[in-house]
Amino acid sequence: MENEGKNKDNQLIWQALAFIAAFYLLALLFTESFWGFHFLTLAPSASVLFTLLIMVGFLILGNQKKALGWLLQLRFNRIGKAAILAVLFGILFHSFNFVNDAYGDALRHQKFLPEVVEELNQDRAAKAFTMNVFQSKIGEITVLNAVEIISYETGAKVTEVFRWIGTIFGMVFIFCWALFTDRYFEKNRMSNVILILGLLSPFIQLFFGHIEIYAPAITMTASTLMCLLLFLKEKKKLWGVLMLVSLLFAMKFHFVSILMLPTCALAWGSYFKESLASHITWKKMWLWAIVPVVIIGIFAYIFIFKDHADPRFLNGEIDTSERLFLPTFSPEAPLDRYNLFSWNHLWDFFNVFFLWSVGGVFVLIVTIFRRGKVDWHHHGLILLAMTLIFYVGLFFMVNPLLSMPIDFDLFSLPAPVFLLFSAVLLSQVKDGEFAVKMAVPVLMLSTLTIPIIATNHNVEATSNRLEYLGRHTFKTYWIRSIQTLRVGLEMDPENYEKRLLSNIKKLEPYAIKGKDQEYANLLWKTGQLYRKNGNAEEALKWHLASREYFADLNYNRIGIVESFYLLGQFDEALNESMELVKRKHPSEERALNIAFDCAIQAKNKEAVLKLGKRLQVLFPENSYYTEIMHAFQKD
């Protein structure tokens, strides 16, 4: 019976590993939709081979009991090991940065700030030091203004400042994680496995020069929870104080860190009143914490934010706070493919879940099926579970304004919580032999972070990935899909036209005539390409096709005007330009000048005189308009 039980345990472990591996294999066939798994498909072959060799090495190690035992029992000087790991990873963080950072708000941040800040905005600079951590935008206010100050004081490029922020906070995370695992799991055989689980968690990609605000928040979230666990274990006030300080900074770097506040309060409560610790149970957590929060959340979602029937569409006049959560009911097409309980959203969230910790997912699956082998009553595990449920519940409802594949950095904020939860969960496996059997699969899966970093650092891989993400987003979330696609294609100028036309054909079945601004944008870009290449006839075809999908693209109308003009069809150019005048696009002065030029070429006396009078009012000192009008009046 004992051998039969061990065989079943072995089967479960390898079945769980095969289940996870299946998604990475399916990504070979369905690269577009398996966007959280497709890095092995896209990464440079050398990095994939390197990853597979490490996996094979771990597999061989698992069959050598002495070697595996040596790895599990290996110990170094605590401070020295942490320092060495921090330096080594710091070099990696600073060397293998994103080759083209199109994720999150990276593109917007680069446009917002100059290449080098030469003049400091004192009002904004002062806000970097505010401790009003209850502002919803506190993280962006803190980090962006800090970047501006550092660039101004050092003369460094803004992108380089972001790069150093990622490197430094990444090193702090590595250093603290190494110290924490050594201290908290000191007597646990799985401490080295847990160390590697954290060192190679996929969310560390945010430390590789990502031009975003999340690196500090990730580190401080992890720091808060590490101090929490040490506080619960050692009952020392120092850890409780450090926990609160870390929480304060975590909230300063991102407001969502407030979700850790109840957990920290309970930790201090159990410190002052030991009897409170006996109330930290799964049943009471659900009854007194989760259920009330869910009820309050649903009430706020429906009656305060009123997002259950949100139209989901964004433009320059709508604040993003009005689109905070996904709607329950789908808006009109093409936004109808994505809502709170749609398959597309569930699948996207499943993908991003694997970007938190693949090894952690494995631990969760195995321990759920072998619940009897785990000490589920561990207070730290229960409190981490409560925090994780808060994070997952909130982020599941959040509207990924840039699409989840592009906004993966925002949706990585729960990752440190999940890492700590899975680490403690692994440490609470009571059957030591069973835990050791889990070690090799955890180590193997952790190496899957390597292709992620390699993909982000490689031009061809990043170009291909952004193309896949753009297509996936177009078919699902829709918003911003073509910008993602375009950024990817522009990284490959030699094949740009070929890939552009290929994507137009692939996306056409999903496009909706008269309503599809994204697809119209793609066709407009194609027309723009042919205009630049001097093929006005082909350009006109694409610009007119763009209009069929969305008529109100002003910049596409400019393309139509220019194409007609280059083809010598001046009457048509004039008709189109008069619409630009009505819309005052790109500005009233520019629109009038475009139309005036078209009227001259069309030899339309009435239009020349009418437009000329308006231009005279705007530019009374410019004699050009008067001279042209006189010439036409003589005729």
Side-chain angles (χ1 to χ4, degrees), residues 329-622:
F329 306 103
S330 292
E332 293 183 4
L335 294 162
D336 60 329
R337 306 164 190 157
Y338 212 95
N339 62 48
L340 190 61
F341 299 109
S342 66
W343 166 253
N344 288 327
H345 176 55
L346 295 172
W347 178 247
D348 274 354
F349 203 81
F350 182 75
N351 273 262
V352 85
F353 180 49
F354 277 81
L355 294 179
W356 295 353
S357 173
V358 189
V361 174
F362 171 82
V363 171
L364 182 62
I365 292 172
V366 172
T367 52
I368 286 175
F369 281 95
R370 287 294 183 270
R371 296 182 295 278
K373 293 180 180 290
V374 179
D375 178 11
W376 294 95
H377 303 296
H378 184 271
H379 292 159
L381 184 64
I382 295 171
L383 291 180
L384 286 172
M386 182 177 76
T387 307
L388 182 61
I389 291 168
F390 288 157
Y391 267 86
V392 171
L394 175 66
F395 278 92
F396 179 76
M397 297 181 69
V398 166
N399 182 5
L401 296 173
L402 305 174
S403 81
M404 202 174 294
I406 294 300
D407 233 356
F408 84 92
D409 47 9
L410 169 65
F411 286 84
S412 293
L413 287 175
V417 187
F418 181 64
L419 171 63
L420 267 297
F421 172 76
S422 58
V424 173
L425 182 58
L426 180 58
S427 74
Q428 293 306 303
V429 175
K430 294 178 289 185
D431 185 336
E433 187 178 348
F434 182 67
V436 170
K437 290 177 181 178
M438 294 171 63
V440 169
V442 169
L443 293 171
M444 291 174 66
L445 292 171
S446 295
T447 62
L448 290 170
T449 298
I450 297 171
I452 296 177
I453 307 307
T455 297
N456 293 338
H457 188 64
N458 181 270
V459 173
E460 182 181 352
T462 298
S463 173
N464 291 333
R465 182 165 197 259
L466 291 173
E467 180 182 0
Y468 282 120
L469 295 185
R471 285 208 303 267
H472 170 76
T473 304
F474 183 83
K475 298 172 185 178
T476 55
Y477 189 75
W478 186 71
I479 295 174
R480 198 187 185 261
S481 56
I482 299 307
Q483 181 180 354
T484 301
L485 178 66
R486 175 180 58 79
V487 172
L489 299 186
E490 288 176 352
M491 294 176 69
D492 182 18
E494 290 184 6
N495 299 298
Y496 177 74
E497 181 180 348
K498 179 182 176 181
R499 291 173 67 181
L500 183 64
L501 295 175
S502 173
N503 279 284
I504 288 172
K505 186 175 181 179
K506 289 177 180 177
L507 296 180
E508 186 179 9
Y510 302 90
I512 302 172
K513 286 190 175 182
K515 294 183 177 181
D516 207 319
Q517 185 174 345
E518 290 290 325
Y519 193 69
N521 265 311
L522 185 61
L523 300 182
W524 163 70
K525 288 297 295 184
T526 310
Q528 186 185 53
L529 171 68
Y530 285 112
R531 274 191 290 125
K532 288 180 178 178
N533 293 341
N535 191 341
E537 186 174 352
E538 189 69 12
L540 180 61
K541 183 184 81 172
W542 288 106
H543 285 305
L544 292 175
S546 173
R547 176 183 282 174
E548 291 181 24
Y549 285 90
F550 195 77
D552 290 332
L553 287 183
N554 289 325
Y555 40 86
N556 185 60
R557 192 176 295 276
I558 291 177
I560 293 173
V561 171
E562 186 174 332
S563 298
F564 275 132
Y565 191 96
L566 293 171
L567 289 169
Q569 299 177 34
F570 301 116
D571 289 328
E572 290 83 353
L574 176 59
N575 290 335
E576 295 291 341
S577 65
M578 291 306 293
E579 186 63 32
L580 291 175
V581 172
K582 288 180 185 177
R583 296 166 180 252
K584 298 181 180 180
H585 182 84
S587 65
E588 183 180 9
E589 297 86 351
R590 181 74 181 125
L592 284 169
N593 273 299
I594 291 171
F596 188 65
D597 189 26
C598 291
I600 294 170
Q601 298 300 327
K603 297 181 172 55
N604 189 318
K605 179 178 178 180
E606 182 182 351
V608 168
L609 296 177
K610 181 180 178 181
L611 293 165
K613 287 178 181 179
R614 291 180 64 177
L615 285 164
Q616 279 182 321
V617 173
L618 291 172
F619 305 102
E621 296 179 0
N622 194 328

Side-chain angles (χ1 to χ4, degrees), residues 39 143 277:
F39 299 97
V143 177

Side-chain angles (χ1 to χ4, degrees), residues 148-166:
E148 193 172 0
I149 293 170
I150 295 169
S151 176
Y152 175 76
E153 294 292 343
T154 63
K157 292 181 179 179
V158 165
T159 51
E160 189 64 19
V161 175
F162 273 109
R163 196 171 172 184
W164 274 110
I165 288 175

Side-chain angles (χ1 to χ4, degrees), residues 197-319:
L197 179 69
L199 295 179
L200 293 179
S201 286
F203 67 81
I204 66 167
Q205 63 181 299
L206 300 180
F207 300 133
F208 284 82
H210 185 31
I211 306 172
E212 255 289 13
I213 68 171
Y214 300 110
I218 289 284
T219 297
M220 297 316 299
T221 298
S223 174
T224 302
L225 296 177
M226 285 187 273
C227 290
L228 169 94
L229 289 170
L230 289 169
F231 184 39
L232 290 171
K233 180 182 180 181
E234 300 182 7
K235 303 294 183 183
K236 293 181 180 179
K237 280 186 179 180
L238 173 64
W239 293 120
V241 172
L242 289 175
M243 174 187 71
L244 294 180
V245 171
S246 295
L247 176 63
L248 181 65
F249 279 100
M251 290 173 63
K252 180 164 174 56
F253 288 125
H254 204 285
F255 176 71
V256 78
S257 302
I258 197 173
L259 294 174
M260 294 186 289
L261 189 58
T263 307
C264 295
L266 281 172
W268 268 106
S270 65
Y271 175 81
F272 285 115
K273 192 174 181 180
E274 290 188 11
S275 60
L276 181 62
S278 63
H279 294 283
I280 302 177
T281 64
W282 289 93
K283 182 178 179 180
K284 290 183 178 180
M285 176 189 75
W286 281 102
L287 186 62
W288 298 110
I290 306 302
V291 173
V293 168
V294 169
I295 293 171
I296 293 170
I298 292 173
F299 179 84
Y301 174 69
I302 297 173
F303 298 106
I304 298 177
F305 297 106
K306 299 179 180 179
D307 281 340
H308 62 290
D310 192 89
R312 204 163 68 76
F313 189 73
L314 278 172
N315 60 35
E317 299 175 1
I318 299 174
D319 191 87

Side-chain angles (χ1 to χ4, degrees), residues 175-189:
F175 184 78
C176 292
W177 180 254
L179 288 179
F180 167 75
T181 52
D182 239 18
R183 189 179 186 111
Y184 189 79
F185 304 108
E186 185 177 11
K187 297 179 181 179
N188 193 292
R189 292 185 69 188

